[in-house]
Amino acid sequence: MSGQQCLRRLPAAMRSVRALRASARATATATATARAMPAARSYSAVSKAHSSGLLAQNRRPAQPAAQRLGAPGQTRSYADTVVKVPEMAESITEGTLKQWSKQVGDHVEQDEEIATIETDKIDVAVNAPEAGTIKEFLVNEEDTVTVGQEIVKLELGGAPSGGEKQEAPEEPKEPAPKEQETSSQPEGQQEQQSQPKEDRSEPPKEESKPEPPKQEEKPQPPKEESKPKPEPPKKESKSQPSKEEPKPATPGSREERRVKMNRMRLRIAERLKQSQNTAASLTTFNEVDMSSIMEFRKLYKDEILKNKGVKLGFMSAFSRACILAARDVPAVNASIEGPDGGDTIVYRDYVDISVAVATEKGLVTPVVRNAESLDMVGIEKAIADLGKKARDNKLTIEDMAGGTFTISNGGVFGSLMGTPIINLPQTAVLGLHAIKEKPVAINGKVEIRPMMYLALTYDHRLLDGREAVTFLVKVKEYIEDPRKMLL
């Protein structure tokens, strides 16, 4: 080839070299672009988040992203709310948090009881406003809380899967000794020590593997493990009563216990002392023959129970007798109101009878409203309903508010005679006592009759002795001849 031919082919060779270089650059550029695509996409996502303000609302974008993707092993997070002390009554602004019904980590449904607050009148239940999981208690038991105070932090949402996960790791601990026992038969002790370490690291894998033979063997070890578990509580229970056992065991013991009075007991003590210091209390007694009313009750109690579903007692008869007697002596149903002990007498055309009911926490007096418009069966039913609510600690403020006259039946406990205390601002209280058979002179002859002592404590500032005695005699006459109550 001549020199002229070489010079002619040189430009073509240069062009081919340039083309090869350009293709290599394009390949390298394409590779780099492919590698940079995820970063570019994430950068564009971040820029979009900045522009939409999402990062301003949540500074941890990784967590909500995982939640939106539904990543396994992660639970959805919910908003938190705070449970506050509810409104209890107009006259109640504070109480004592008596006990927690749930523990931290427990799941509660909507309107499920979380705690109980004790007041000087009733116990108030604190319920969950929504379903969720208890995260934190903001107050302790026996703390004084006020209306509107925050007491519980609640994480809203359905039942968490954490409970299942907490039970899951306990299950692999059970089969671990089984594998050790099976491995100990063909192999030595060194392999037994190495296998438990592997078993401890494999619990999550064992959860996902459904193995029917292992599941059948699982119920057996819990029985063995459940036996030693109750033993520690037994020891604790023995240690706890051991502190109380010396009291009855040692007759010469001089130990003392100091227990703080609950709010209801404190309120009762305050009101009773206030009654003694305010009212000019005086008690008058009388004796009533219960033969006629007992015969009346014996004749009709089964029929009333069958037709009305109410057990006929003596409280309804005495209530009806007091209502009729109060028509002749209206001051018994009145009260003194006003400043400095009162300067105004309030007479009422209605009768709200307060019925004294003994509970574990103290004496309460729920009210039978408009008792003058009820018959004996209606009064008995109302008293039975209020008594049941009192024993179940379900009385409300409305059940005990008001009252114009009180009846206290100490005879159910065997009291023969007593002087009840006036329930201010009422004017009088009637005390019933036990029925005892006694010799009584009837038409010049001695007969054995069931007798009961009646005690009327009244405020002498409003009731004179003549009026008080007249009222009590009227009640006696109505009970000894119930037919008069129909006239």
Side-chain angles (χ1 to χ4, degrees), residues 130-213:
E130 298 182 45
T133 304
I134 298 176
K135 293 187 64 178
E136 182 183 358
F137 290 151
L138 304 181
V139 295
N140 299 321
E141 291 184 352
E142 301 298 334
D143 285 355
T144 299
V145 294
T146 58
V147 174
Q149 180 179 346
E150 299 177 350
I151 57 175
V152 182
K153 188 178 289 185
L154 191 68
E155 182 180 1
L156 303 181
S161 58
E164 299 175 358
K165 292 182 180 179
Q166 292 175 358
E167 295 176 358
E170 295 179 357
E171 294 179 356
K173 293 180 181 179
E174 298 171 357
K178 293 181 182 178
E179 296 180 359
Q180 292 177 6
E181 293 175 359
T182 55
S183 62
S184 64
Q185 295 176 358
E187 299 180 4
Q189 297 179 353
Q190 296 178 354
E191 294 179 359
Q192 295 176 5
Q193 297 177 355
S194 61
Q195 285 183 357
K197 297 180 180 179
E198 296 176 0
D199 295 337
R200 293 176 183 173
S201 62
E202 293 178 358
K205 295 181 181 179
E206 293 178 2
E207 293 176 2
S208 61
K209 292 181 181 180
E211 298 181 1

XYZ file of all heavy atoms in Angstrom, residues 130-213:
643
model
N -62.930 5.504 74.715
C -62.812 4.748 73.476
C -61.991 3.496 73.755
O -61.349 3.368 74.799
C -62.141 5.584 72.378
C -62.902 6.841 71.990
C -62.215 7.582 70.869
O -61.798 6.924 69.893
O -62.065 8.810 70.964
N -62.018 2.574 72.793
C -61.218 1.360 72.929
C -59.739 1.687 72.768
O -59.363 2.520 71.944
C -61.655 0.316 71.899
N -58.903 1.043 73.535
C -57.476 1.287 73.450
C -56.711 0.498 74.489
O -57.258 -0.370 75.168
N -55.434 0.825 74.607
C -54.531 0.150 75.528
C -54.008 1.150 76.551
O -53.613 2.260 76.193
C -53.346 -0.481 74.779
O -53.846 -1.375 73.779
C -52.441 -1.250 75.738
N -54.024 0.757 77.814
C -53.549 1.638 78.879
C -52.030 1.748 78.811
O -51.318 0.746 78.856
C -53.987 1.110 80.258
C -55.513 1.094 80.352
C -53.394 1.953 81.373
C -56.040 0.490 81.640
N -51.537 2.974 78.684
C -50.097 3.203 78.590
C -49.477 3.635 79.913
O -48.368 3.232 80.239
C -49.803 4.271 77.521
C -50.125 3.848 76.096
C -49.660 4.879 75.097
C -48.142 5.022 75.101
N -47.685 5.997 74.094
N -50.225 4.451 80.684
C -49.609 4.992 81.903
C -50.695 5.465 82.867
O -51.720 6.001 82.449
C -48.688 6.164 81.542
C -47.955 6.772 82.718
C -47.117 7.966 82.320
O -47.083 8.292 81.123
O -46.499 8.569 83.213
N -50.462 5.218 84.150
C -51.311 5.761 85.200
C -50.673 7.061 85.685
O -49.504 7.082 86.076
C -51.446 4.787 86.371
C -52.259 3.563 86.044
C -52.006 2.354 86.686
C -53.271 3.614 85.114
C -52.762 1.236 86.390
C -54.032 2.502 84.818
C -53.769 1.310 85.459
N -51.436 8.128 85.672
C -50.916 9.438 86.064
C -51.093 9.726 87.545
O -50.524 10.687 88.051
C -51.609 10.529 85.239
C -51.497 10.361 83.715
C -52.204 11.510 83.005
C -50.041 10.279 83.281
N -51.890 8.915 88.247
C -52.058 9.046 89.696
C -52.006 7.657 90.312
O -52.107 6.645 89.603
C -53.394 9.743 90.063
C -53.409 11.170 89.566
C -54.571 8.970 89.500
N -51.856 7.608 91.606
C -51.781 6.339 92.330
C -53.064 6.114 93.129
O -53.859 7.032 93.342
C -50.576 6.330 93.278
C -49.267 6.494 92.537
O -49.077 5.942 91.452
N -48.347 7.245 93.120
N -53.239 4.876 93.570
C -54.376 4.567 94.416
C -54.279 5.328 95.737
O -53.186 5.586 96.239
C -54.454 3.055 94.689
C -54.812 2.240 93.453
C -54.966 0.761 93.771
O -54.651 0.385 94.911
O -55.384 -0.001 92.886
N -55.436 5.696 96.268
C -55.573 6.485 97.498
C -55.185 7.946 97.322
O -55.146 8.700 98.302
C -54.766 5.873 98.660
C -55.159 4.453 99.011
C -56.600 4.326 99.472
O -57.141 5.325 99.986
O -57.182 3.236 99.300
N -54.902 8.383 96.069
C -54.641 9.795 95.822
C -55.957 10.551 95.694
O -56.962 10.016 95.215
C -53.825 9.980 94.538
C -52.372 9.593 94.722
O -51.989 9.271 95.864
O -51.617 9.598 93.738
N -55.946 11.801 96.113
C -57.120 12.659 95.963
C -57.123 13.253 94.562
O -56.131 13.840 94.119
C -57.109 13.777 97.009
O -57.137 13.190 98.318
C -58.314 14.682 96.857
N -58.232 13.099 93.857
C -58.356 13.591 92.483
C -59.549 14.545 92.417
O -60.505 14.421 93.178
C -58.543 12.432 91.480
C -57.300 11.565 91.427
C -59.745 11.572 91.830
N -59.476 15.483 91.505
C -60.532 16.469 91.320
C -61.186 16.281 89.961
O -60.626 15.627 89.068
C -59.959 17.889 91.427
O -58.924 18.059 90.441
C -59.372 18.133 92.806
N -62.351 16.849 89.800
C -63.091 16.729 88.544
C -62.287 17.372 87.415
O -61.801 18.502 87.541
C -64.472 17.395 88.670
C -65.189 17.398 87.328
C -65.317 16.681 89.710
N -62.104 16.634 86.326
C -61.343 17.128 85.185
C -59.864 16.810 85.238
O -59.139 17.096 84.268
N -59.376 16.211 86.308
C -57.954 15.894 86.412
C -57.613 14.692 85.543
O -58.380 13.741 85.431
C -57.577 15.599 87.864
C -56.113 15.264 88.077
C -55.779 15.015 89.537
O -56.565 15.343 90.421
N -54.628 14.442 89.801
N -56.450 14.730 84.904
C -55.993 13.632 84.052
C -55.453 12.508 84.924
O -54.628 12.733 85.810
C -54.915 14.120 83.083
C -55.402 15.224 82.146
C -54.293 15.740 81.254
O -53.113 15.371 81.501
O -54.580 16.506 80.323
N -55.939 11.285 84.668
C -55.535 10.166 85.514
C -54.959 8.992 84.728
O -54.175 8.222 85.259
C -56.717 9.669 86.371
C -57.897 9.264 85.487
C -57.153 10.728 87.359
C -59.047 8.641 86.269
N -55.327 8.830 83.459
C -54.874 7.683 82.671
C -54.502 8.156 81.280
O -55.206 8.975 80.673
C -55.969 6.595 82.567
C -55.450 5.399 81.780
C -56.426 6.146 83.934
N -53.388 7.619 80.773
C -53.011 7.850 79.380
C -53.370 6.599 78.588
O -52.932 5.501 78.914
C -51.519 8.156 79.251
C -51.102 8.586 77.846
C -49.620 8.930 77.793
C -49.350 10.225 78.537
N -47.937 10.641 78.406
N -54.167 6.791 77.537
C -54.726 5.676 76.780
C -54.298 5.787 75.328
O -54.398 6.853 74.718
C -56.256 5.687 76.879
C -57.015 4.469 76.367
C -56.739 3.263 77.244
C -58.513 4.761 76.349
N -53.790 4.672 74.780
C -53.444 4.594 73.364
C -54.637 4.002 72.612
O -55.016 2.851 72.827
C -52.206 3.726 73.143
C -51.785 3.649 71.676
C -50.555 2.774 71.481
O -50.057 2.235 72.488
O -50.120 2.618 70.330
N -55.240 4.814 71.763
C -56.443 4.399 71.072
C -56.139 3.330 70.042
O -55.049 3.276 69.479
C -57.116 5.592 70.398
C -57.482 6.766 71.316
C -58.170 7.858 70.518
C -58.365 6.294 72.453
N -57.122 2.493 69.776
C -56.972 1.454 68.760
C -57.529 0.132 69.244
O -57.944 -0.022 70.388
N -57.515 -0.829 68.325
C -58.014 -2.156 68.661
C -57.045 -2.912 69.540
O -55.991 -2.404 69.946
N -57.402 -4.151 69.820
C -56.566 -4.992 70.678
C -55.220 -5.217 70.016
O -55.158 -5.640 68.861
C -57.246 -6.329 70.944
N -54.098 -4.908 70.664
C -52.782 -5.086 70.042
C -52.409 -6.547 69.929
O -52.890 -7.397 70.674
C -51.842 -4.349 71.012
C -52.522 -4.462 72.334
C -53.995 -4.435 72.040
N -51.514 -6.820 68.973
C -51.015 -8.188 68.805
C -49.883 -8.486 69.755
O -49.290 -9.541 69.719
C -50.532 -8.396 67.368
O -49.516 -7.461 67.053
N -49.537 -7.522 70.576
C -48.433 -7.744 71.516
C -48.726 -8.846 72.492
O -47.844 -9.561 72.943
N -50.039 -9.003 72.844
C -50.375 -10.063 73.784
C -50.041 -11.415 73.222
O -49.571 -12.306 73.909
N -50.272 -11.591 71.883
C -49.948 -12.871 71.272
C -48.438 -13.061 71.203
O -47.919 -14.136 71.400
C -50.560 -12.933 69.875
C -52.082 -12.808 69.902
C -52.654 -12.756 68.500
O -51.823 -12.786 67.561
O -53.875 -12.707 68.347
N -47.731 -11.954 70.949
C -46.283 -12.079 70.851
C -45.659 -12.350 72.200
O -44.632 -12.980 72.303
C -45.692 -10.792 70.270
C -46.080 -10.587 68.803
C -45.429 -9.344 68.264
C -45.795 -9.117 66.802
N -45.184 -7.907 66.263
N -46.286 -11.845 73.244
C -45.733 -12.100 74.567
C -45.917 -13.553 74.966
O -45.104 -14.112 75.668
C -46.416 -11.184 75.593
C -46.048 -9.721 75.385
C -46.815 -8.830 76.333
O -47.635 -9.310 77.101
N -46.538 -7.540 76.276
N -46.989 -14.156 74.492
C -47.210 -15.552 74.820
C -46.361 -16.459 73.953
O -45.976 -17.537 74.353
C -48.690 -15.907 74.621
C -49.602 -15.150 75.580
C -51.044 -15.443 75.289
O -51.289 -16.191 74.317
O -51.920 -14.950 76.015
N -46.035 -15.988 72.719
C -45.285 -16.828 71.801
C -43.903 -17.179 72.315
O -43.494 -18.320 72.270
C -45.196 -16.155 70.431
N -43.093 -16.192 72.819
C -41.763 -16.574 73.278
C -41.789 -17.508 74.467
O -40.824 -18.165 74.741
C -41.110 -15.250 73.652
C -42.206 -14.278 73.757
C -43.308 -14.768 72.909
N -42.903 -17.560 75.187
C -42.956 -18.483 76.314
C -43.109 -19.921 75.841
O -42.708 -20.843 76.518
C -44.129 -18.118 77.231
C -43.945 -16.751 77.883
C -45.130 -16.414 78.750
O -46.071 -17.221 78.773
O -45.116 -15.357 79.397
N -43.706 -20.095 74.635
C -43.921 -21.441 74.136
C -42.620 -22.142 73.766
O -42.432 -23.299 74.075
C -44.868 -21.402 72.933
C -46.268 -20.949 73.332
C -47.180 -20.891 72.142
O -46.677 -21.130 71.020
O -48.375 -20.622 72.311
N -41.656 -21.444 73.068
C -40.424 -22.159 72.747
C -39.630 -22.574 73.962
O -38.822 -23.476 73.898
C -39.632 -21.158 71.910
C -40.285 -19.861 72.128
C -41.693 -20.137 72.479
N -39.869 -21.888 75.097
C -39.162 -22.309 76.300
C -39.635 -23.679 76.755
O -38.912 -24.399 77.398
C -39.391 -21.287 77.423
C -38.747 -19.940 77.136
C -39.014 -18.986 78.268
C -38.411 -17.632 77.984
N -38.681 -16.670 79.063
N -40.847 -24.024 76.414
C -41.376 -25.312 76.837
C -40.793 -26.460 76.025
O -40.363 -27.447 76.583
C -42.896 -25.297 76.742
C -43.499 -24.250 77.668
C -44.972 -24.094 77.420
O -45.462 -24.767 76.489
O -45.632 -23.336 78.146
N -40.756 -26.349 74.646
C -40.178 -27.464 73.912
C -38.673 -27.572 74.051
O -38.086 -28.574 73.720
C -40.552 -27.181 72.463
C -40.841 -25.746 72.420
C -41.343 -25.366 73.768
N -38.000 -26.497 74.533
C -36.549 -26.549 74.650
C -36.088 -27.714 75.516
O -35.223 -28.481 75.114
C -36.019 -25.230 75.203
N -36.665 -27.925 76.695
C -36.220 -29.078 77.481
C -36.556 -30.401 76.822
O -35.870 -31.377 77.026
C -36.966 -28.925 78.805
C -38.058 -27.972 78.541
C -37.593 -27.104 77.437
N -37.609 -30.407 75.972
C -37.927 -31.661 75.294
C -36.806 -32.048 74.351
O -36.384 -33.188 74.274
C -39.232 -31.506 74.502
C -40.438 -31.304 75.384
C -41.647 -31.183 74.487
C -42.872 -30.931 75.334
N -44.062 -30.756 74.506
N -36.326 -31.045 73.564
C -35.253 -31.353 72.629
C -33.997 -31.770 73.374
O -33.219 -32.578 72.904
C -34.996 -30.132 71.756
C -36.210 -29.780 70.884
C -35.932 -28.573 70.037
O -34.812 -28.040 70.180
O -36.801 -28.176 69.249
N -33.795 -31.178 74.533
C -32.637 -31.566 75.313
C -32.753 -33.016 75.751
O -31.789 -33.765 75.720
C -32.525 -30.661 76.543
C -32.170 -29.219 76.178
C -32.133 -28.351 77.391
O -32.259 -28.858 78.499
N -31.937 -27.058 77.195
N -33.979 -33.420 76.133
C -34.139 -34.791 76.575
C -33.968 -35.768 75.425
O -33.315 -36.787 75.552
C -35.534 -34.944 77.202
C -35.688 -34.161 78.484
C -37.096 -34.241 79.005
O -37.918 -34.897 78.322
O -37.380 -33.669 80.058
N -34.512 -35.441 74.261
C -34.366 -36.351 73.126
C -32.925 -36.396 72.635
O -32.433 -37.434 72.213
C -35.274 -35.893 71.979
O -34.970 -34.518 71.678
C -36.737 -36.001 72.387
N -32.243 -35.244 72.680
C -30.861 -35.237 72.218
C -29.927 -35.902 73.215
O -28.845 -36.328 72.865
C -30.412 -33.787 71.965
O -30.473 -33.064 73.173
N -30.331 -35.980 74.458
C -29.454 -36.570 75.457
C -29.385 -38.083 75.312
O -28.453 -38.712 75.796
C -29.946 -36.210 76.859
O -31.213 -36.773 77.067
N -30.321 -38.673 74.622
C -30.289 -40.127 74.488
C -29.203 -40.575 73.518
O -28.358 -41.380 73.865
C -31.671 -40.630 74.046
C -32.738 -40.371 75.107
C -34.105 -40.786 74.620
O -34.246 -41.226 73.475
N -35.093 -40.651 75.478
N -29.125 -40.025 72.296
C -28.080 -40.496 71.405
C -26.768 -39.769 71.561
O -25.747 -40.248 71.126
C -28.672 -40.241 70.026
C -29.561 -39.079 70.221
C -30.025 -39.138 71.628
N -26.738 -38.589 72.144
C -25.524 -37.796 72.161
C -25.106 -37.506 73.597
O -25.809 -37.815 74.534
C -25.760 -36.485 71.398
C -26.115 -36.733 69.929
C -26.334 -35.431 69.198
O -26.137 -34.372 69.823
O -26.673 -35.469 68.016
N -23.930 -36.842 73.711
C -23.361 -36.586 75.028
C -23.862 -35.307 75.639
O -24.703 -34.608 75.094
N -23.253 -35.007 76.785
C -23.681 -33.835 77.538
C -23.248 -32.550 76.859
O -23.892 -31.532 76.986
C -23.094 -33.877 78.954
C -23.589 -35.066 79.770
C -22.974 -35.078 81.135
O -22.095 -34.280 81.411
N -23.420 -35.998 81.972
N -22.141 -32.566 76.109
C -21.683 -31.350 75.463
C -22.688 -30.901 74.404
O -22.933 -29.718 74.218
C -20.307 -31.574 74.809
C -19.205 -31.884 75.825
C -17.871 -32.141 75.167
O -17.800 -32.201 73.936
N -16.834 -32.275 75.952
N -23.295 -31.834 73.710
C -24.284 -31.481 72.700
C -25.558 -30.956 73.361
O -26.246 -30.112 72.808
C -24.616 -32.694 71.842
C -23.440 -33.160 71.000
C -23.796 -34.379 70.178
O -24.935 -34.842 70.298
O -22.939 -34.842 69.436
N -25.844 -31.462 74.565
C -27.026 -30.957 75.276
C -26.856 -29.482 75.612
O -27.791 -28.709 75.550
C -27.256 -31.742 76.559
C -27.611 -33.202 76.313
C -27.737 -33.955 77.616
O -27.649 -33.352 78.666
N -27.938 -35.244 77.533
N -25.624 -29.090 75.963
C -25.390 -27.695 76.323
C -25.397 -26.799 75.096
O -25.711 -25.638 75.166
C -24.061 -27.551 77.060
C -24.031 -28.316 78.382
C -22.691 -28.232 79.052
O -21.752 -27.677 78.472
N -22.575 -28.774 80.254
N -24.985 -27.319 73.962
C -24.958 -26.496 72.768
C -26.327 -26.345 72.131
O -26.628 -25.341 71.511
C -23.984 -27.085 71.734
O -24.411 -28.392 71.355
N -27.207 -27.360 72.265
C -28.511 -27.297 71.617
C -29.446 -26.269 72.251
O -30.165 -25.602 71.546
C -29.178 -28.673 71.638
C -28.542 -29.617 70.619
C -29.264 -30.960 70.595
O -30.171 -31.161 71.377
N -28.834 -31.826 69.701
N -29.464 -26.097 73.561
C -30.344 -25.064 74.112
C -30.033 -23.688 73.572
O -30.911 -22.885 73.392
C -30.105 -25.131 75.613
C -29.593 -26.516 75.851
C -28.851 -26.899 74.617
N -28.749 -23.390 73.322
C -28.401 -22.083 72.778
C -29.025 -21.911 71.406
O -29.497 -20.845 71.046
C -26.886 -21.921 72.696
C -26.213 -21.956 74.065
C -24.720 -21.795 73.937
C -24.032 -21.840 75.301
N -22.565 -21.710 75.173
N -29.011 -22.987 70.608
C -29.619 -22.895 69.291
C -31.141 -22.769 69.408
O -31.765 -22.049 68.649
C -29.268 -24.141 68.477
C -27.763 -24.279 68.203
C -27.435 -25.564 67.479
O -28.384 -26.330 67.207
O -26.270 -25.781 67.180
N -31.724 -23.454 70.385
C -33.170 -23.386 70.546
C -33.602 -21.981 70.943
O -34.637 -21.501 70.524
C -33.640 -24.380 71.620
C -33.379 -25.821 71.178
O -33.272 -26.006 69.954
O -33.281 -26.698 72.050
N -32.791 -21.319 71.783
C -33.153 -19.977 72.220
C -33.115 -18.990 71.064
O -33.839 -18.016 71.042
C -32.208 -19.503 73.328
C -32.359 -20.307 74.613
C -31.341 -19.873 75.640
N -31.430 -20.684 76.847
C -30.575 -20.605 77.848
N -29.560 -19.727 77.805
N -30.707 -21.378 78.915
N -32.234 -19.233 70.108
C -32.154 -18.338 68.970
C -33.175 -18.659 67.904
O -33.321 -17.920 66.947
C -30.749 -18.392 68.356
O -30.490 -19.706 67.885
N -33.906 -19.798 68.006
C -34.834 -20.202 66.972
C -36.313 -20.023 67.342
O -37.163 -20.494 66.614
C -34.608 -21.677 66.635
C -33.259 -21.936 65.986
C -33.041 -23.409 65.721
O -33.928 -24.202 66.091
O -32.015 -23.755 65.148
N -36.674 -19.384 68.460
C -38.107 -19.294 68.781
C -38.947 -18.677 67.689
O -39.988 -19.174 67.376
C -38.148 -18.445 70.050
C -36.809 -18.640 70.656
C -35.864 -18.891 69.527
N -38.506 -17.542 67.053
C -39.382 -16.985 66.032
C -39.620 -17.923 64.872
O -40.657 -17.926 64.262
C -38.651 -15.717 65.604
C -37.256 -15.889 66.080
C -37.322 -16.747 67.285
N -38.617 -18.783 64.555
C -38.808 -19.719 63.460
C -39.798 -20.800 63.857
O -40.567 -21.249 63.053
C -37.463 -20.359 63.096
C -36.448 -19.351 62.548
C -35.146 -20.039 62.177
C -34.127 -19.031 61.648
N -32.849 -19.686 61.308
N -39.747 -21.204 65.125
C -40.647 -22.265 65.560
C -42.094 -21.779 65.560
O -43.005 -22.543 65.347
C -40.270 -22.738 66.962
C -38.927 -23.445 66.993
C -38.561 -23.867 68.400
O -39.384 -23.627 69.286
O -37.472 -24.425 68.576
N -42.308 -20.473 65.771
C -43.665 -19.963 65.759
C -44.296 -20.105 64.376
O -45.462 -20.404 64.241
C -43.673 -18.490 66.168
C -43.268 -18.282 67.602
C -43.189 -16.820 67.922
O -43.487 -16.015 67.014
O -42.837 -16.489 69.062
N -43.484 -19.863 63.337
C -44.032 -19.894 61.984
C -44.161 -21.300 61.444
O -44.796 -21.510 60.423
C -43.133 -19.057 61.063
O -41.827 -19.609 61.041
N -43.530 -22.284 62.091
C -43.593 -23.660 61.602
C -44.706 -24.401 62.320
O -44.637 -24.620 63.512
C -42.259 -24.370 61.878
C -41.102 -23.815 61.055
C -39.823 -24.577 61.361
C -38.655 -24.022 60.568
N -37.419 -24.745 60.858
N -45.754 -24.752 61.609
C -46.798 -25.560 62.254
C -46.402 -27.015 62.334
O -46.336 -27.699 61.326
C -48.006 -25.360 61.328
C -47.407 -25.048 59.996
C -46.091 -24.406 60.228
N -46.068 -27.486 63.499
C -45.690 -28.877 63.682
C -46.688 -29.545 64.610
O -46.703 -29.292 65.802
C -44.277 -28.968 64.299
C -43.214 -28.351 63.379
C -41.833 -28.479 63.984
O -41.731 -29.048 65.085
O -40.866 -28.029 63.357
N -47.589 -30.339 64.049
C -48.618 -30.963 64.898
C -48.082 -31.811 66.024
O -48.606 -31.780 67.101
C -49.450 -31.789 63.911
C -48.629 -31.869 62.661
C -47.715 -30.709 62.650
N -46.993 -32.579 65.836
C -46.553 -33.381 66.982
C -46.111 -32.541 68.155
O -46.362 -32.855 69.292
C -45.385 -34.211 66.419
C -44.942 -33.481 65.188
C -46.186 -32.835 64.638
